[in-house]
Amino acid sequence: MQQKKGAPLRSDAQRNRDRILEVALAELTRSADAPLSAIAKKAGVGQGTFYRNFPNRESLVLEIYRHEVQQVADTASQLLETRPPEEALRAWMDRLARYAMAKAGLADALRKATACGSSLAGLSHGPVTSAVTLLLEANEDAGTIRPGVTPEDFLLAIAGLWQIDPHGDWQTRAGRLLDLVMDGLRTGAPGS
């Protein structure tokens, strides 16, 4: 019996899917050419189960990317529940930097998976823009950043993160860059 698209998975099927994604993330980060059969074997699932979930390499890689980006985006609301808006924004920026550097090894797999014309922008734009909007609005309401900063402005300002070498002293460089962005956001804030 074929599962309807979009229907929730049974708990065992969801565990299999999650295990495949976890193993695939580790394997593809190590080697963009990791064989799908090896990923299935390490995840403890059969070929049929693997291909039912991910019919090809591109679908697997794009789902890993979507899942990881969603986790980063979800962090925004969690941080706002426990910290003042300004601290939540800065902590989220650090989380984004850690994600960008930790997943640099996945970049080759993403490039190969999207070589046929797929776009990563559509997969990340929604969740990341929603997270940024939430954080910017909370800070604007609190008077901790200048009014009128758009999510697009913010994302352009932090785009330098993707230029940092993940094998060097990325923490120091990212911290300095993100501190500069925060300083710029604070300039002209009503509360300053």
Side-chain angles (χ1 to χ4, degrees), residues 40-120:
K41 185 175 181 176
K42 284 187 178 184
V45 299
Q47 296 291 322
T49 298
F50 183 91
Y51 286 106
R52 233 185 340 274
N53 282 282
F54 305 103
N56 55 45
R57 180 177 295 275
E58 180 181 0
S59 65
L60 175 64
V61 171
L62 293 177
E63 179 58 19
I64 290 168
Y65 179 77
R66 189 208 60 75
H67 179 74
E68 294 285 302
V69 166
Q70 187 64 55
Q71 286 186 321
V72 171
D74 290 347
T75 306
S77 61
Q78 296 162 4
L79 289 167
L80 281 169
E81 290 173 7
T82 59
R83 300 176 187 202
E86 189 175 15
E87 287 179 27
L89 176 59
R90 186 60 177 86
W92 187 82
M93 291 164 67
D94 286 336
R95 172 68 173 89
L96 183 63
R98 283 192 311 276
Y99 167 78
M101 297 304 110
K103 302 310 178 217
L106 190 57
D108 194 34
L110 288 166
R111 270 190 296 280
K112 288 180 179 186
T114 58
C116 300
S118 295
S119 172
L120 296 176

Side-chain angles (χ1 to χ4, degrees), residues 134-150:
L134 182 67
L135 290 160
L136 292 176
E137 287 176 355
N139 276 277
E140 192 169 329
D141 291 347
T144 54
I145 64 169
R146 67 174 59 213
V149 177
T150 68

Side-chain angles (χ1 to χ4, degrees), residues 15 19 32 40 42-43 57 59 76 89 125 138 144 152 155 178:
R15 279 191 303 274
R19 201 167 42 250
K42 284 187 178 184
R57 180 177 295 275
S59 65
L89 176 59
H125 184 72
T144 54
E152 291 79 17
L155 291 170
L178 297 178

